[in-house]
Amino acid sequence: MARGNEVSSMEVDEGKTAANSPKFSINVLQLLKSAQMQHGLRHRDYTRYRRYCTARLRRLYKSLKFTHGRGKYVKKAITESTVTEVRFLHILLYMSERAWSHAMEKRHLPDGPNSRQRIYLLGRLRKAVKWAALFAQLCATKGDSRASLEAEAYASYMKGTLLFEQDQNWKAALMNFRKARDVYEELGKYGSIENQVLCRERVEELEPSIRYCLHKVGESDLQTSELMDIGEVEGPALDLFKAKLEAVMAEARSQQAASMTEFYWLGHRFPINNAKTRVSILKAQELEKDLHGPAADALPAEKKLSMFDKIFSAYHEARACIRSDLASAGNADNVKIDLNGLDKAVSAALGERTIERNQLLISIAKTKFTKQRDEKGEKITKPEELVRLYDLQIQNSTDLYDLVSSQRNMNQEEDLFSKEYELKGLAFRAERCFFLAKSYSFAGKRAEAYALFHHAGNLADEVLKKLQVAINPDQALIKDLKILSDNCRSNCCIEHATGIMEEEKIPEKLSKGVSTMSLAGPEKKEEKFLLEKLDLYESAIGEAGAKSVPCIERFPPPFQAVPCNPIVLDIAYSSIEFPSLENRMKKDKKGIFSRLWG
């Protein structure tokens, strides 16, 4: 009976100790976000972040004196009784982060993970899930309510990431991602403003993964081509989703490219035998459809420019594959002819997209040229910048014209293509001449500006005449040229009138300038320097912040009259008799014969 009472009293004491133990507070999301952004993940450098986690764990082990032995490794487990400081919870968190970053490092290899690397990747993700689950378990007993919720959301995210990578249980992955999202949504309603913003960003990062899981489960009618639009949010939580999405899109393109055997361009059909070339061309064509589709007008300029960059990358990949095939073609003339034609067609498509991209840049620059200052407070566009852009347009249109017109026998489509870009080159010259005249006008050179405006108007009228007799003329180009012609006429009149007014004002300005001239020069205020006003309490360097010149001493110093040395005539020199110095001079030694015969 006494023994039972003793045991029950011990249990009560343990319960009191557990109830009185302090609850640790740890802001998991803020801690991780700060560490990730400061140590590599801002630039997707997972190797650097993994090394940081390793170094951080080493410092934590050393500071807590929780090392695993000097010689033989003796593993020390972190249990509920071990956690006497919040830094023990940090150890579990950084163990999970280190394993996760190592897995992501393998996931983002240049050529993708091979089979062995993928097995290792999944093993590291399982380790991350294990440490995250232990972290959530200990936070539930040792942490406060907020730390427990954040740890639970973190563990759910890690579990969802593992299932997402395994491509097996999409429902379980969806459940874990939703659980993490719900927790972050609730936490985003309370706390500091900074914490609320972090929680909302995390919710936005989790949303694409949830929608992708819904798509794989079949609960969403989202098309595969539309999945690219939901990955616009940046963040480490989206990197695995984007990698998975790229793999899915590449697989879809490769399946679609299997049916693509020819590339049609200006009435010619060029066979495509290389699978990589097909995929690259197909990727570029899909982006072109999005760029020229019905929803293209609603796209912002930054989005269009990024799409152009992706198109250029795809076409450059296709050209690299074609040229490697040319190098390995050997002496097969038919294959070489087909590959050369395909290379020419891809180069022409690349040139056309380059002209479209430059035209977009020109339209952006023109809006800033007409405004005094745009919404973001940037400076206005100078006419020289537009001149440079039109130089690029002229060069690109000339290259396209030469690419097609260099053939001996052209079909009708090639003939129309060459004439179209010949006229576009003339239109670009007229636009360039107009903005060159604008630069002369801003510099005050009226005669040069008048001549250039007149020449630009003549070029625009010439192109308009040719377009009126052309087959299927570009209506947008005709509209732009009409506006340019009107602007040239109005600017010619303005420059002419401004030049006459300035010429009429020249005699008046000259007479006013001559009347104010004085031979004595402008009157200068007498300045006193420091040595001249030592008896006054006045600063010699002026007031603080003033741009006045310090009056310490004249520099360079003024010329002063200096008396000349007196002229002395030495008239006694010729009357002085100096003593003989022969006895001090060195005498020559003479021999016997010289003594006898002198």
Side-chain angles (χ1 to χ4, degrees), residues 244-260:
K244 182 72 69 177
L245 191 57
E246 274 297 326
V248 171
M249 295 301 291
E251 184 179 354
R253 284 194 197 102
S254 61
Q255 291 175 359
Q256 190 176 353
S259 60
M260 181 182 179

Side-chain angles (χ1 to χ4, degrees), residues 519-588:
L519 295 175
E523 293 183 3
K524 291 184 180 179
K525 186 180 178 181
E526 186 178 357
E527 295 179 355
K528 287 188 177 183
F529 293 90
L530 181 61
L531 293 176
E532 298 173 0
K533 53 181 181 181
L534 292 175
D535 56 336
L536 301 174
Y537 189 74
E538 184 179 342
S539 175
I541 59 173
E543 298 179 359
K547 295 184 179 179
S548 58
V549 180
C551 299
I552 299 173
E553 183 54 61
R554 286 186 177 89
F555 187 83
F559 289 104
Q560 294 180 358
V562 178
C564 295
N565 291 327
I567 299 174
V568 179
L569 301 176
D570 197 357
I571 58 177
Y573 180 78
S574 58
S575 303
I576 297 175
E577 291 184 3
F578 295 98
S580 176
L581 299 175
E582 290 183 0
N583 57 344
R584 296 187 179 184
M585 295 173 64
K586 186 178 179 181
K587 294 180 180 179
D588 297 332

